[in-house]
């Protein structure tokens, strides 16, 4: 992972073999980021696990293992109640037949590159808190 900063904007480049969530959480810890918006991301990834939360608050997961184009990425970075970094990301992928797959991102490993823009919110504390009987972790300010 490499990154550059201009004010509150960070531009991150991930390389082959790097997992998106793992690296963005490590960056949040390194820079002591408590709140950030992930405004964009593009690249090529594999081992993509994505999905959606159903009406019963349970995530349904799908696997797109083949190398795919990362068409869009957005979300945010916050902290859990224990202080650990938490990334909430949604993504769109295009497979090799140009079929789009999209939803909540659980995992994605970079194949070629991922280029991601973050906007740090230095005067904000965002915390993710569990909800009873739900897999969702609510964002609180």
């Amino acid at each position: 992972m490499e990154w550059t900063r201009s004010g509150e904007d960070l531009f991150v480049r991930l390389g082959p073999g790097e997992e998106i969530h793992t690296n963005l959480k490590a960056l949040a810890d390194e820079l002591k980021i408590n709140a950030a918006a992930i405004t964009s991301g593009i690249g090529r990834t594999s081992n993509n696990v994505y999905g959606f939360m159903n009406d019963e608050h349970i995530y349904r997961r799908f696997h797109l293992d083949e190398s795919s184009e990362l068409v869009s990425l957005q979300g945010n970075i916050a902290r859990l109640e224990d202080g650990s970094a938490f990334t909430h990301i949604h993504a769109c992928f295009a497979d090799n037949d140009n079929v789009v797959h999209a939803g909540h991102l659980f995992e994605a490993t970079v194949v070629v590159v991922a280029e991601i823009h973050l906007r740090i919110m230095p005067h904000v504390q965002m915390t993710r808190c569990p909800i009873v009987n739900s897999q969702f972790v609510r964002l609180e300010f």
Side-chain angles (χ1 to χ4, degrees):
M1 172 176 53
E2 294 185 275
W3 57 271
T4 189
R5 184 172 185 164
S6 175
E8 304 308 334
D9 290 298
L10 284 177
F11 201 79
V12 180
R13 185 179 63 232
L14 301 179
E18 294 184 301
E19 199 283 320
I20 291 175
H21 284 284
T22 301
N23 281 273
L24 292 181
K25 287 190 273 189
L27 183 61
D29 287 340
E30 177 184 339
L31 299 179
K32 298 181 179 19
I33 297 170
N34 293 320
I38 302 166
T39 65
S40 68
I42 56 174
R44 189 147 184 95
T45 58
S46 66
N47 302 316
N48 303 302
V49 181
Y50 66 97
F52 65 89
M53 178 173 280
N54 66 20
D55 294 343
E56 289 76 40
H57 290 240
I58 298 169
Y59 280 110
R60 181 157 179 218
R61 295 174 189 239
F62 301 91
H63 294 261
L64 180 60
D65 296 326
E66 66 187 72
S67 179
S68 306
E69 193 70 9
L70 176 60
V71 178
S72 176
L73 186 84
Q74 64 274 334
N76 56 66
I77 298 174
R79 295 281 168 178
L80 292 172
E81 292 175 308
D82 68 4
S84 59
F86 184 91
T87 48
H88 183 192
I89 303 173
H90 287 213
C92 293
F93 307 95
D95 65 23
N96 291 324
D97 292 322
N98 207 30
V99 175
V100 173
H101 305 260
H104 178 91
L105 180 66
F106 295 100
E107 184 178 337
T109 302
V110 175
V111 174
V112 177
V113 70
E115 300 169 344
I116 302 169
H117 176 258
L118 301 159
R119 170 64 58 93
I120 300 171
M121 297 181 286
H123 306 294
V124 175
Q125 175 70 44
M126 296 193 317
T127 306
R128 289 280 176 176
C129 302
I131 299 174
V132 176
N133 298 321
S134 176
Q135 292 182 343
F136 187 69
V137 186
R138 183 180 64 225
L139 182 64
E140 294 188 4
F141 307 103

